[in-house]
Structures are given as structure tokens and as C-alpha cells.
Amino acid sequence: GNHTTRAGILLQEMLVRPGDAADPGRIEQSRQAIMDLGLFKAVQAELFPGERAHECVLLITVEEKYYILPIPKLNKNEEGDIGYGAQLRLDNLAGLNQQLKITYEQEKIETSSSGEQDVLSMSYVYPRIFGSPYRFEFNANRTNLPLDVLTDGTVSAQYQWTTTEAGFALTRWLGLIGPSRGWQVGTGLVWREQTYRHISGTPGLYPDGTAVGLTTLVEFTDVHNFLYSRSG
């Protein structure tokens, strides 16, 4: 059933290997670990007699999800601001469980007379690079926001505030083989730039700026996926 997903993505999650004893507990843990990838609607594990005595064959059968999802977005917050946009999700690039999300959102700012806020963002994740215990993640976004400067309750200046961010992280699972859960440690780099474009009123109120930061990560994950729910 893995028409898109490469076999290695399933095999690296399993606790049993060819030649191991057919331990029902470890087989069930392997089946659940494949389900926990989030790539499949259902995963089944069945044992069949092998060609020789005392030999059996383990068959894993999966039902794949849709991996290309266009998602419309519409929301209204507690301040009455209405936002709309769209997201394109690619959840299994090249059959390697790579995830790519591109999102565009626009929001009318009721507290501003300068227009609308718009956000363009992208994220990419490669959970196990070439089957290794290393995980790579990249994020980038650009936000344009109207900014009113109030003096005694009236607008004395207007600016267009633009924030651009980009960053990456490289983490490592402490468990070298088996299911993708447990502890991860890693580090990364983040870059941020803020610019202010003067529109009207008093100029020079806000300076542009750039910042670079080093990030560290320690994370524990133990989440299980089921047909209609998750736990952990």
C-alpha cells in the first residue's frame, strides 16, 4: 500500500529485523510506530508461514493519506479583526516524509487606518535525513503591518512595519534506531530584520534593525496516532 512512501521510511521505524524472533509485542510496537508517522490512515501487521519450517513472513499493509492539501483559511479574533488566506501543504515530498507548508494570510486591522496586515510564511521539515537520526527544519516568514502613531488620541504619523525572519535547526534523536520518539537535542540559527517605511506625519520615529541569534533545543516526544484521535 505504500505507493508514494519509500519502504525505508517504514523500515527505520520498526523494532524487528529479518532474522529476529516473531515477537508479537515488538511487532505491534513497530506497527504503531509506522502509524505514528502521520502518513497513513491505517496500518496492519500480519504474519504468514515462510518457505521453511519455523520461518514466518511479516507483511505490513498501509493505507496512505492525501499528501497534497490546499487549505483555505478564515478567522475572526476577539478584537473583531477578520483574516483570510490559504495554505498549501505537501506532507510527503519524494516519499521521504518531508513536509513543506506555504501560507499566505491577510488581516484587516480594525485599530489601524493604514490598511491590512499580510503574512507570507514557509516551513520545511526533513525528519530523518537520508535515514539518519538527524532532523532538519527551516522556517521563513515576512510580515507587513500598518503602524499608527497616536498622540493625544489622534494619529500623528503612519508607518509600514515590515519584519522578515528566517531560521534553521538541526536536531538529533538520541535513539539511533527504531521509532521517531523520545529525546531530541539540537541547535540552530535565526535571523530577523525590521524596517519601517514612513508614510505620513513625523518621520524618523523608528530605526531599522537586524538581529541574529543562536538557538538550542531539548525536546521529548511520545505521541501516538490512531484512526480518529491522538494521545501522548
Side-chain angles (χ1 to χ4, degrees), residues 147-205:
L147 181 62
D148 288 352
V149 180
L150 299 179
T151 303
D152 297 328
T154 60
V155 177
S156 60
Q158 293 180 324
Y159 288 79
Q160 187 72 21
W161 177 20
T162 301
T163 301
T164 306
E165 293 181 311
F168 72 89
L170 183 66
T171 59
R172 182 183 186 275
W173 294 97
L174 296 187
L176 298 181
I177 60 173
S180 298
R181 62 175 185 263
W183 289 100
Q184 294 182 76
V185 295
T187 186
L189 195 68
V190 62
W191 168 85
R192 180 175 184 176
E193 180 184 66
Q194 292 189 142
T195 60
Y196 296 88
R197 182 171 63 87
H198 176 250
I199 298 175
S200 65
T202 308
L205 294 179

Side-chain angles (χ1 to χ4, degrees), residues 59-168:
L59 176 65
I60 302 293
T61 305
V62 298
E63 182 181 353
E64 293 185 318
K65 294 181 177 180
Y66 293 108
Y67 296 135
I68 302 177
L69 297 174
I71 303 172
K73 299 174 74 68
L74 179 66
N75 62 74
K76 182 177 182 180
N77 64 21
E78 64 275 6
E79 297 176 351
D81 302 334
I82 297 176
Y84 58 90
Q87 182 182 82
L88 177 64
R89 284 182 48 176
L90 307 175
D91 287 339
N92 196 10
L93 285 172
L96 293 173
N97 195 21
Q98 301 174 87
Q99 300 147 16
L100 176 66
K101 294 181 184 179
I102 301 173
T103 306
Y104 176 76
E105 294 181 277
Q106 194 169 75
E107 184 176 310
K108 172 61 178 162
I109 307 298
E110 296 295 336
T111 57
S112 171
S113 60
S114 304
E116 297 179 328
Q117 168 184 287
D118 62 82
V119 180
L120 178 63
S121 62
M122 184 195 77
S123 66
Y124 167 79
V125 179
Y126 192 171
R128 284 184 177 264
I129 304 171
F130 302 118
S132 73
Y134 290 93
R135 177 180 186 270
F136 177 78
E137 182 173 357
F138 174 80
N139 293 278
N141 68 76
R142 183 180 179 89
T143 302
N144 290 306
L145 175 68
L147 181 62
D148 288 352
V149 180
L150 299 179
T151 303
D152 297 328
T154 60
V155 177
S156 60
Q158 293 180 324
Y159 288 79
Q160 187 72 21
W161 177 20
T162 301
T163 301
T164 306
E165 293 181 311
F168 72 89

